[in-house]
Each structure stands twice: as C-alpha cells, then as structure tokens.
Amino acid sequence: MGALQSLPDEPEYRDLSEKTGFSFEQIGILHKRFKQLSHNEDTLRRDDLNTIPDLSCNPIRTQIIEAFFDKRNFHQNGEGTVQEISFEEFLVVMSHFRPPALDMTEEQREIIRREKLRFLFNMHDTDNDGTITLEEYRHVVEELLSRSGALGKETAKGIADAAMLEVASISMGHMEPDEFYEGITFEHFLKILKDIEIETRMNIRFLNMDTTNLCKVNRAYPDCTSLTKYTDKLLESCLWFGFGLL
Amino acid sequence: MSVHALRKSASSSFVFVGIGLPIEASAPAYQSHGTEGSHLTNITNTKKAFPVLAVNYEHVRKPFEIALWILLALLMKLGFHLIPRLSAVVPESCLLIVVGLLVGGLIKVIGEEPPVLDSQLFFLCLLPPIILDAGYFLPIRPFTENVGTILVFAVIGTLWNAFFMGGLLYALCQIESVGLSGVDLLACLLFGSIVSAVDPVAVLAVFEEIHINELVHILVFGESLLNDAVTVVLYNLFEEFSKVGTVTVLDVFLGVVCFFVVSLGGVLVGAIYGFLAAFTSRFTSHTRVIEPLFVFLYSYMAYLSSEMFHLSGIMALIACGVVMRPYVEANISHKSYTTIKYFLKMWSSVSETLIFIFLGVSTVAGPHAWNWTFVITTVILCLVSRVLGVIGLTFIINKFRIVKLTKKDQFIVAYGGLRGAIAFSLGYLLSNSHQMRNLFLTAIITVIFFTVFVQGMTIRPLVELLAVKKKKESKPSINEEIHTEFLDHLLTGVEGVCGHYGHYHWKEKLNRFNKTYVKRWLIAGENFKEPELIAFYRKMELKQAIMMVESGQLPSVLPSTISMQNIQPRAIPRVSKKREEEIRRILRANLQNNKQKMRSRSYSRHTLFDADEEDNVSEVRLRKTKMEMERRMSHYLTVPANRESPRPGVRRVRFESDNQVFSADSFPTVHFEQPSPPSTPDAVSLEEEVPKRPSLRADIEGPRGNASDNHQGELDYQRLARCLSDPGPNKDKEDDDPFMSC
C-alpha cells in the first residue's frame, strides 16, 4: 500500500473496496486527496490535517483530527492513538460516513447505526474506559460552545450536567441517593440517541467525480473570515450547489 | 360569499333571529305626557308612538351573517369531535364538505340561492392565515435538507401533470363521440394547469391526522406550497393565450422568464417584509402587547404586496414567516410567542373549516355541466399522471440523494397529492367567456371530491397497512440537541478533510454569515451572541418551570429519583450538622433580603407585566436555587470541625436585583425530586413583588469584594462563595452577556 500512482490500482483498490464499501472511483478520488494532504507521502500526520483552512473555524477540530488517529476507529480492535495513518486507515475512518444503501434490511441498518454511534462514542470517550464520564461530557459541550465567547464555560457545565442527568434518568430509572452513576456506557448512549436516526444523518456525499483540482484554492486563504474568500469559493463551487441541495 | 345572494336568503330565513337586535331604550318619562299630549297628537297626527322595541336588521346584516357562518362552521367542528368514532375514521375535511352540501341543499330547498365561494374572499381572507401558519411553523431543518427534491416535485412535477393532463384531454375531446370537439388545446391546457396543483389546505387537513414520518410529510407539504409559483404562471399564461388563440416560441420563453420572476420575486418580497418585521421586533421591548400584531401585519402585507405585482403570494408568505421567525422569537416575550402561536392556529383552523364548508355549499350552488367521459377521464388522468410523475422523478432524484426515497415513500407522496379549494377558486375565476367554464368547474369539483373523500379517507388505513414509518413523538431532549449540533460540526469538518464543498459546508458558511452580520442588526440587546444550544436549553428550562408552576408541584418529567447528587463526582465528607444549620440560616436570610429589594409592580395598560407565570417562574427559580444550593453545600463544603462559626454580619452576601446573571449553579436543576432536607426553609414569603423584565433573575452570586478580615473567615467565606458560584469568587468574572429572559 502506498503506491504513488495516478491510475487506480485494481487489486489493491478491490481489496479496499470490499473492506470499506467505497466504489473504485471514490477510492481513487480519496486517494488523490490523501496524497494532496500528506504532500505525496505514504502516511498522514496530525499537522497535515491541522493545516486544512476549513477546519480552523470548526469548534471541535481537535476531536475530529483525533478521531482519524484513534485506533479504535480502524476496525482492528486496537486501542490508543497513532501518530500517523496510512491510506487504508484513512479510508476506514471515512467509511463511517458512507450513506446506507437503498435496499438494506432492518438488521443491516441496525449494524450501521451501531457503527456510526460507536464512532461518536469514541470521539467523546477520550480516555478509552468504555464510559463517557461527566468530565468528558462537559469537555464536549465546552468545545461546542467554545466559539460563543465568555458565557460558554459556565453554561456548558450546566448543560452538560443536565444532559447527564437526562441520560441517567432514561437509562437507570431509579437510583438511590447515594448511588453513583459512573458514566454513559455505549448501551446507554445507543438508547438516548436512538431517535435521531443517525444512519440517515451522519453521512456526507462521496462524489464519483474528481474535485481535488478545486481544492487547490484551499491553500490560498489561510483565514476564514474574509468576504472575498466566500465569493471566490462560491464561483467555483456552483457545480456542487445543486448536488448539495438534493 | 356574494352579499346579494345572501340578502334574500337572510331576510326570509333569519328574520326570526333579528328580533333580539337593537332594542331602543324605553323612555318611561314620555309616557306621562301621553294623556295630556292628546291635543298634540291632533296637530301632528302622523306621529307614531315612541318605539320601545324595534328591529333594524339592515344595520348589522353583513357582520351578522359573517359571524353566523363562522359560528356554524365552528359548531360543526365541535360536533364532530363529540361523536367518538367519527373523527377517527373520516377526516374532518370530508365531514365539513358534507355539512356544506347539507347547508347548501337546505338553502336551495328554502328557495334561495346558496352563496358561492367568492374567489376574492378566498384568496384575500381565507387562504393567508393557513399559509402563514404553515410557513411560520415550517420545520426548517427537514425542509432545507430536502429543498432540492421538493423543488423538483413542485416545479417539474406540476408541469408534467399540467401538460400530460391537458394534452390527453385534448386528445380525448378530439374523439367525436364525446361531443366536445369545440374545446381547443389551450383551453385544455388551462384546465390541466388548474387541476394539476397539489393543494396545501387539503394536504394539511389530511396529513395532520395521520402523523406520518417527517420526510414524507415535508415532501408533500413543501411541494404543495412551492407549486404555487408554477400554478400562477401557467394559469396566467394559458388564460392570456386562450383569449388570443395562438402561442409562439417567444411567449413560451417569456413564460419561463415569468416563472423565475414570479417565484424569486415572491420570495424576495417575503424576505424583505420578514427582515422588516425582525427589525421592528428588536424595539418592542416596551410595548409587548402589540408584538404579535407586527408579525401578522407584516406577513399579510407581504402577501398583499406580492399579489399586487402578480407574484406568488404563497411563496412570499412562506418566505416572510421563515425569515422572520428566528429573529422575532429571540426578541419577543414568551407570552407574545404563545399569542402568535394560538392566533395563527385559531385563524387557520377557522379558515380551513370555512373553506371546506363553502366548497360544499358551492357545489350545490354552482352551475354544472356534466359530461361523463370528460369528468371520469379527468379523475383517472389525475391519478395516473401523479403516479407516473412521482415514480419518474424519484428515479432521477434518487441518483442525487444521499438518503434515497423508498417505494413506500413514493407511494405516499403520490397518493397524498390532494386537490382542494385553490383549484376550485382558480376555476371560478375563469371569465364566463370560456364556453367550457361550467364543464371545467364540474370536473374540478369532482376531482376535489374524489381526492378528499376517497384518498383522504383511505390514506390512513393504507399507512397502517403498509407500515409506513410514523412521526416520532419525542420530547425535546438536550442530548439530542447537543448531538445534532455536534454532528453538524463533525460533518462539516469531515467534508473539509475530504475537500469538497457539500451541504454542510454551505450551511456552516450561512450560519457564520448570519451570526456575524445579520443577527447583530435584528436581535435586541446582547442576545445575538447566544448560541442555539444555550437558547434551546433555556427554553426547555422555562417550559419545565412553567409546567412546574401549573402542576403546582415539583415535576418529574422522567419519573425517577435521580438527581444531581447521583452524577456529581463523589464529594467530600459531610459537614457537621451545626455548621450546615448556620450556613442555611445565612442563605435564608440573604434570600429574604433579596426578595425585599425587588421593585413593586405597577399597573399599566401598555405593558404586560410579569404577571402570573413569569412571577412564578422566577419564584420557582429561586426556590430551586435555594434547594440546589443546600444540596451542593452539603456535598462540597470541607469545613474542619474546629473552625469558628462565621459571624453572619461579616459575610453579607450582597444581592443586586437588576440585570444580573444567574450563577451557573442554578442551571442543572431540570429534574428534581421532592426535597427532603431536614429543615425546609419556607420562611421566605412568596408574595413579594417581582422585578420588571428583563431582570427576572435574582443575583445569588458570590460576594464581590466583600472579603472579611480574618484569615479563617476568609477561607470560610471562600468556601461559602464556592458553593454559591462555582468556580469561585473571581472578581473579574465575566458577566457581560445577560441571558435572554425568554
């Protein structure tokens, strides 16, 4: 793995395609993107992802980047984090965002739902002990509100506490006053989020056409607040606007 | 309704009711003059006796009749829900049409002419409330996620329907045996365009009751709203041309241009009025009573303005409602929000009822020209073209959608394409010069009856039979909200990693633009910085508090005994009883102080004071805070046993009642159990007045700059303060952003 070819390599791609479910064209495009991000090297590092300008405005940037380097997301029953990832691992992480096929049975949907929710769970459970503790949850909410300025920290705590209370109430029902709710386990997590239909929401569009040429523009605008950046990107992205709507 | 027709009917049928009307004041004083004034009566022998009781029906005729019709409609609606089985089987719209038929028949039997649904009344008075209600409460997220699909169905679907039906009907008319060879292509196309549009009123009426899943609901409903532009353009186009008789390529091109002008123009007009309304609501903090009126009037003006320019009024209304809602809701009080909600529901309910009743009455009244073949073919073609259109379009759309539409979804979308009163009114608007007008009207009415009765009644059992996904009745959950927002950011980030600008990327850009530029102008005070999650959370808390007040006790939304102490990390050993008692006393005393400092209420006609619920809300908040503080206190304080007792006088916790911020401690008290501390402090009198908005909250912050003298005292004070305002008394604590009060 790691052949720097511009043409799709049939046997390797076939293997990846079976593993992740992407089509050959999609794998080809993602490979190009991988090479672009990693400056044509075989492996991707955190710094490479840090330089993506779109991510710099994102409040949960660190968690997203961490998720790519989290061994739990590689489907190999590993644990802990790595410093660099190969293309295969990149693809596996990306495959969490693939939409489910049209003709799936209920059990298959359930499996996909669990997989996606597992990804989310791993993002929250940073110390990998199998539960999301109050501290971890507070951290999540704080990061979400981190762009909202001063009142973020206080309210974040309150919101996280209320959310935790809700989970505890739904999952445990009744607890004695001196019992302690350790944290949200994966099963509880599934339970509270079963209504948001994650298998239809946690998807992005993977295109079959080549867009990496357009991404060169990313490099030119390091900051994310200038208006000219909007207009230029608007011009070149008209092509995707229609797709985006549908 | 045409007044002339009603006049005759009223005079004969309703005169018995008119007797109750203007009773002129009796004047006993005059009666004494009666006997001695007999010579006067000789002089003016035309003088009648002073009327004690007189009838003047003409004076109040019009409003009286209108009120009577509305009352009839509402009584009917009431009646249906009293009959237990009926409303479960038959949708309300059907029942109302039947009532209309009966009333129409009754009027005809009497010998009068039943009123017909006047198009002007329909378009200017009856339709706007329904559309505004739909637009204001449109669920934005599913709508924007599916807007492409909705537009495809609305525009291309309606065009397909119109041309398919028009074309095939023309072909039918060419057949000699039908006897309609006088009908030309343009007339048929005109008819096709009238009858092809899915009607929002009918869809709302039927779908309201079947609780189908959100995706299908928004697809059908969105389509019924957005196809108005197409209908307007096609109708005007064909009407113009059928007078002239020929169509050139230039005309078709102009028609296409007109379509864009009509739809985008309508949206623009609506958006402008929406921004105006949002901007106005920024300044209404002192005149809360008239806030709802701004919402209604600006929306109505948007509708009328766009109708004036022959733009799409429905799209203007929807755009206005959608644009103004987030900003207006951030600015107005909770009461105004409730008022708007209830008024919109009320008006739209009345309108809908009236529309269906009048549809029934008009059926009896209207001139009919029946032609079996034409009418039956129209009905069949409607169904066929709808099904073909949906299947064909879905095939194309599914190539672009992330979440594909299943066959069940497609079926419901096709089956839910109901026609309604808009088609009838448009048909009625046709000038009498069309020789086929009566035939068209009859056919339109038949189609409407068929779709509303047959499709409306059978859709519910079919939904059950096919086990189509129903709407999830879920309460707002803070976890879901957190994760929805988390997902948005996650997906935007992953799209960024992938490197293409998809749906989430643009949504994020729009949000950022909204936050930095737009909200600044349209939201009052400092609230514009507040992120959605916090706003959602506080709304939820407010609802909880109000529920608590209404039920008169502490709520258990989720019946459980879990409270904060179950989830907080294990605390330090308990404090000694004596210490606890002292601290409680301090807290109680200070809370009482706070209450006394609040301003008194005064009566004013122009301001809605925090009467009732808002009073109780703040009261409840205080109660909650008190209890929470006690609980925390017992878990958090580490006070070694040999400390001196604090002198109450030294550590005065100062309260500032206005414009202060609740400390974060009070937040997580969403779920509560019955308090069971040893001594429940109930000495605080809860009859005290409450401060005026926006300072609903009392400040129970840590003391500022009130450090006491001795070192021990300081440590104690810090600990006390810590329990009051986590994370501790920072003098430079940031409290700039006042929380939104409602």
Side-chain angles (χ1 to χ4, degrees):
Chain A
M1 193 50 241
L4 300 173
Q5 299 165 7
S6 51
L7 297 168
D9 194 58
E10 282 294 317
E12 280 176 19
Y13 276 27
R14 191 173 305 137
D15 191 33
L16 286 173
S17 176
E18 271 171 44
K19 205 172 187 179
T20 57
F22 286 117
S23 71
F24 287 177
E25 297 83 17
Q26 288 171 336
I27 295 181
I29 295 162
L30 286 170
H31 200 174
K32 267 199 174 159
R33 177 65 176 162
F34 183 83
K35 279 186 281 194
Q36 190 183 40
L37 287 174
S38 67
H39 307 287
N40 278 334
E41 289 175 33
D42 290 348
T43 56
L44 198 64
R45 281 186 206 80
R46 281 187 179 79
D47 293 330
D48 298 325
L49 288 180
N50 269 325
T51 56
I52 300 176
D54 282 327
L55 276 189
S56 52
C57 304
N58 202 314
I60 54 169
R61 178 167 61 114
T62 9
Q63 274 108 315
I64 297 178
I65 294 179
E66 275 311 306
F68 275 93
F69 293 89
D70 188 341
K71 273 167 117 177
R72 289 174 292 175
N73 293 331
F74 296 160
H75 288 181
Q76 286 162 0
N77 296 329
E79 281 186 5
T81 60
V82 290
Q83 290 299 87
E84 38 187 49
I85 55 172
S86 65
F87 179 58
E88 182 176 333
E89 286 150 355
F90 180 76
L91 260 192
V92 171
V93 173
M94 281 301 192
S95 71
H96 285 97
F97 296 94
R98 242 176 22 94
L102 186 57
D103 50 355
M104 284 198 153
T105 63
E106 195 52 44
E107 296 89 43
Q108 284 170 321
R109 278 186 181 268
E110 185 63 36
I111 295 174
I112 291 192
R113 197 177 304 147
R114 283 186 83 97
E115 202 180 286
K116 293 186 195 274
L117 283 174
R118 185 87 224 176
F119 186 85
L120 278 185
F121 189 81
N122 289 343
M123 280 182 85
H124 296 328
D125 181 22
T126 44
D127 60 1
N128 198 16
D129 59 354
T131 58
I132 305 178
T133 61
L134 186 62
E135 279 311 312
E136 286 167 347
Y137 212 12
R138 273 183 186 162
H139 183 70
V140 169
V141 181
E142 265 167 29
E143 289 290 309
L144 265 186
L145 295 178
S146 60
R147 303 240 152 209
S148 64
L151 65 95
K153 233 175 148 70
E154 294 304 314
T155 334
K157 208 184 281 277
I159 293 177
D161 290 346
M164 198 71 171
L165 204 50
E166 200 182 68
V167 177
S169 305
I170 295 179
S171 317
M172 305 289 281
H174 291 268
M175 280 176 84
E176 296 303 313
D178 52 358
E179 273 185 86
F180 181 55
Y181 183 62
E182 294 292 337
I184 311 179
T185 61
F186 185 55
E187 292 307 317
H188 294 170
F189 194 67
L190 278 181
K191 206 167 169 185
I192 52 166
L193 289 184
K194 68 172 159 56
D195 280 339
I196 65 172
E197 287 197 9
I198 192 111
E199 72 272 15
T200 52
R201 297 192 48 179
M202 190 166 140
N203 303 314
I204 64 172
R205 188 186 301 283
F206 288 101
L207 297 160
N208 292 330
M209 283 156 58
D210 200 341
T211 67
T212 48
N213 292 324
L214 301 175
C215 300
K216 293 203 187 89
V217 189
N218 279 352
R219 311 268 164 189
Y221 300 101
D223 69 303
C224 55
T225 53
S226 71
L227 215 62
T228 49
K229 193 180 175 221
Y230 291 157
T231 46
D232 280 346
K233 282 197 176 173
L234 197 67
L235 282 172
E236 73 181 33
S237 306
C238 283
L239 188 65
W240 308 119
F241 197 61
F243 285 141
L245 279 183
L246 279 173
Chain B
M1 58 194 115
S2 71
V3 179
H4 304 288
L6 269 183
R7 183 163 294 160
K8 286 191 281 178
S9 63
S11 54
S12 54
S13 326
F14 298 123
V15 73
F16 65 94
V17 186
I19 289 181
L21 295 181
I23 299 174
E24 290 167 85
S26 62
Y30 284 114
Q31 291 174 2
S32 58
H33 291 284
T35 47
E36 67 168 49
S38 55
H39 67 283
L40 281 173
T41 56
N42 289 334
I43 299 172
T44 57
N45 42 14
T46 51
K47 180 178 186 297
K48 303 180 294 210
F50 192 80
V52 170
L53 207 62
V55 178
N56 188 359
Y57 186 59
E58 292 304 316
H59 186 56
V60 292
R61 171 190 296 284
K62 192 136 188 241
F64 190 81
E65 285 164 6
I66 293 174
L68 209 60
W69 275 103
I70 298 180
L71 198 59
L72 170 74
L74 296 177
L75 286 173
M76 287 298 128
K77 207 174 159 92
L78 199 69
F80 295 148
H81 288 281
L82 289 177
I83 307 173
R85 290 297 211 90
L86 201 59
S87 46
V89 175
V90 185
E92 212 174 87
S93 39
C94 304
L95 294 169
L96 288 169
I97 294 185
V98 169
V99 166
L101 286 173
L102 289 174
V103 171
L106 196 68
I107 297 182
K108 205 156 198 183
V109 158
I110 296 182
E112 298 297 333
E113 240 195 74
V116 190
L117 183 60
D118 177 35
S119 294
Q120 201 185 26
L121 176 79
F122 174 75
F123 279 114
L124 291 185
C125 299
L126 293 179
L127 191 60
I130 301 179
I131 304 296
L132 180 60
D133 180 42
Y136 195 79
F137 293 109
L138 195 67
I140 290 295
R141 188 177 276 267
F143 186 76
T144 48
E145 280 173 6
N146 295 297
V147 75
T149 317
I150 293 175
L151 278 175
V152 167
F153 276 128
V155 176
I156 304 183
T158 314
L159 281 173
W160 157 260
N161 280 346
F163 283 103
F164 184 74
M165 284 190 61
L168 282 186
L169 281 174
Y170 179 63
L172 180 77
C173 292
Q174 299 302 95
I175 302 175
E176 286 299 324
S177 58
V178 176
L180 288 173
S181 33
V183 186
D184 65 335
L185 180 64
L186 281 173
C188 281
L189 283 176
L190 178 60
F191 177 71
S193 70
I194 295 176
V195 88
S196 62
V198 178
D199 186 78
V201 181
V203 163
L204 260 177
V206 170
F207 272 57
E208 200 81 23
E209 300 173 355
I210 61 177
H211 298 297
I212 202 146
N213 71 56
E214 209 174 48
L215 173 66
V216 173
H217 184 246
I218 199 71
L219 282 180
V220 182
F221 185 55
E223 181 195 340
S224 69
L225 290 175
L226 295 185
N227 64 18
D228 182 58
V230 181
T231 313
V232 164
V233 170
L234 280 180
Y235 180 79
N236 287 330
L237 200 70
F238 288 129
E239 245 237 304
E240 283 295 319
F241 293 155
S242 55
K243 288 191 190 127
V244 176
T246 54
V247 177
T248 65
V249 178
L250 180 65
D251 294 326
V252 173
F253 176 69
L254 282 179
V256 172
V257 172
C258 185
F259 165 70
F260 283 106
V261 167
V262 161
S263 52
L264 295 175
V267 170
L268 189 68
V269 168
I272 292 176
Y273 275 100
F275 282 121
L276 277 176
F279 190 64
T280 314
S281 72
R282 188 179 160 187
F283 302 106
T284 56
S285 50
H286 298 289
T287 47
R288 295 274 177 201
V289 195
I290 56 174
E291 267 171 349
L293 269 180
F294 281 119
V295 170
F296 300 140
L297 286 175
Y298 273 113
S299 317
Y300 196 47
M301 293 279 287
Y303 182 75
L304 293 177
S305 308
S306 61
E307 285 289 319
M308 184 167 70
F309 293 110
H310 281 291
L311 304 174
S312 165
I314 291 183
M315 291 183 84
L317 214 43
I318 303 282
C320 187
V322 164
V323 163
M324 97 176 135
R325 185 177 182 200
Y327 310 109
V328 161
E329 286 197 347
N331 287 330
I332 61 178
S333 70
H334 189 73
K335 281 197 168 65
S336 299
Y337 171 71
T338 314
T339 310
I340 292 179
K341 189 165 84 160
Y342 276 101
F343 260 86
L344 281 178
K345 298 279 172 215
M346 184 182 79
W347 273 329
S348 64
S349 184
V350 169
S351 278
E352 194 182 292
T353 317
L354 277 177
I355 287 177
F356 283 115
I357 288 191
F358 272 115
L359 213 51
V361 175
S362 311
T363 313
V364 176
H368 290 296
W370 185 266
N371 181 315
W372 276 101
T373 333
F374 189 79
V375 172
I376 302 292
T377 324
T378 311
V379 174
I380 296 177
L381 277 182
C382 260
L383 275 178
V384 168
S385 77
R386 176 83 182 155
V387 171
L388 285 179
V390 168
I391 293 181
L393 286 174
T394 317
F395 180 72
I396 301 174
I397 288 174
N398 268 347
K399 295 202 190 304
F400 299 106
R401 279 180 69 91
I402 302 182
V403 178
K404 322 261 178 214
L405 295 175
T406 63
K407 290 225 165 15
K408 280 186 199 165
D409 294 336
Q410 290 176 38
F411 174 73
I412 300 292
V413 170
Y415 205 66
L418 308 173
R419 285 23 176 211
I422 290 188
F424 177 77
S425 305
L426 283 176
Y428 199 71
L429 267 181
L430 284 174
S431 64
N432 279 323
S433 59
H434 283 108
Q435 79 265 45
M436 314 287 5
R437 181 173 176 264
N438 295 341
L439 176 64
F440 287 169
L441 271 180
T442 314
I444 292 172
I445 289 185
T446 317
V447 170
I448 296 177
F449 271 46
F450 181 80
T451 56
V452 172
F453 279 93
V454 175
Q455 285 178 242
M457 276 204 272
T458 54
I459 200 167
R460 203 192 307 211
L462 275 174
V463 162
E464 303 283 334
L465 194 69
L466 292 176
V468 180
K469 253 192 304 189
K470 295 281 200 104
K471 181 159 76 171
K472 291 198 161 65
E473 300 291 347
S474 57
K475 323 189 263 294
S477 150
I478 187 83
N479 279 294
E480 286 181 10
E481 192 65 27
I482 292 176
H483 280 95
T484 308
E485 193 154 329
F486 190 83
L487 264 181
D488 271 348
H489 289 297
L490 173 66
L491 292 170
T492 313
V494 174
E495 271 188 357
V497 171
C498 268
H500 66 257
Y501 305 131
H503 190 88
Y504 291 97
H505 182 90
W506 291 109
K507 201 154 86 159
E508 181 62 30
K509 283 241 157 56
L510 187 67
N511 278 341
R512 229 181 294 144
F513 177 72
N514 190 17
K515 198 182 217 167
T516 43
Y517 298 110
V518 182
K519 275 190 177 171
R520 199 177 286 270
W521 285 103
L522 297 179
I523 296 190
E526 297 291 308
N527 295 333
F528 66 91
K529 287 196 211 132
E530 190 177 65
E532 274 182 35
L533 191 57
I534 297 182
F536 172 84
Y537 180 63
R538 271 198 288 97
K539 276 211 173 81
M540 210 167 86
E541 204 195 27
L542 187 67
K543 273 195 210 129
Q544 294 260 338
I546 289 182
M547 222 166 61
M548 184 152 50
V549 166
E550 281 175 3
S551 66
Q553 55 173 4
L554 297 171
S556 39
V557 171
L558 300 158
S560 72
T561 54
I562 298 184
S563 68
M564 284 308 296
Q565 65 197 56
N566 291 110
I567 69 173
Q568 295 289 359
R570 269 284 180 254
I572 337 148
R574 287 180 163 269
V575 139
S576 71
K577 279 285 185 209
K578 191 178 71 149
R579 182 107 181 95
E580 243 184 72
E581 188 47 47
E582 280 164 33
I583 293 176
R584 264 204 200 101
R585 208 171 1 105
I586 299 171
L587 288 174
R588 204 180 316 158
N590 286 321
L591 272 171
Q592 269 176 321
N593 282 341
N594 178 54
K595 281 278 187 189
Q596 282 157 12
K597 282 190 189 167
M598 294 179 199
R599 281 198 231 129
S600 59
R601 192 195 327 213
S602 61
Y603 176 73
S604 161
R605 212 174 136 210
H606 300 287
T607 50
L608 261 186
F609 263 112
D610 355 78
D612 312 321
E613 284 165 12
E614 288 181 12
D615 273 2
N616 291 338
V617 167
S618 67
E619 178 180 300
V620 150
R621 276 221 173 82
L622 280 172
R623 223 190 294 164
K624 271 170 155 185
T625 319
K626 243 187 349 220
M627 292 174 192
E628 193 51 38
M629 280 196 302
E630 289 181 14
R631 190 166 292 131
R632 280 178 181 254
M633 192 175 64
S634 56
H635 285 284
Y636 279 142
L637 280 179
T638 340
V639 183
N642 58 0
R643 287 261 184 243
E644 279 179 26
S645 60
R647 294 175 308 213
V650 175
R651 242 170 315 284
R652 252 186 83 73
V653 179
R654 200 173 355 144
F655 286 100
E656 292 139 59
S657 42
D658 281 80
N659 287 330
Q660 289 303 326
V661 163
F662 243 167
S663 72
D665 270 6
S666 53
F667 264 101
T669 55
V670 175
H671 301 285
F672 235 78
E673 57 180 53
Q674 288 295 337
S676 58
S679 58
T680 320
D682 54 355
V684 181
S685 71
L686 300 175
E687 261 84 38
E688 295 290 346
E689 309 296 357
V690 183
K692 207 172 129 122
R693 293 185 92 260
S695 56
L696 264 190
R697 290 146 173 79
D699 173 36
I700 319 199
E701 242 183 49
R704 293 190 178 186
N706 220 3
S708 53
D709 344 288
N710 51 358
H711 173 63
Q712 288 175 340
E714 187 152 47
L715 281 177
D716 268 348
Y717 144 89
Q718 276 180 359
R719 291 210 171 85
L720 179 62
R722 199 171 295 137
C723 86
L724 292 175
S725 63
D726 217 341
N730 320 348
K731 305 228 169 67
D732 51 342
K733 194 153 99 156
E734 299 268 334
D735 287 318
D736 299 332
D737 312 304
F739 287 153
M740 189 172 77
S741 306
C742 273

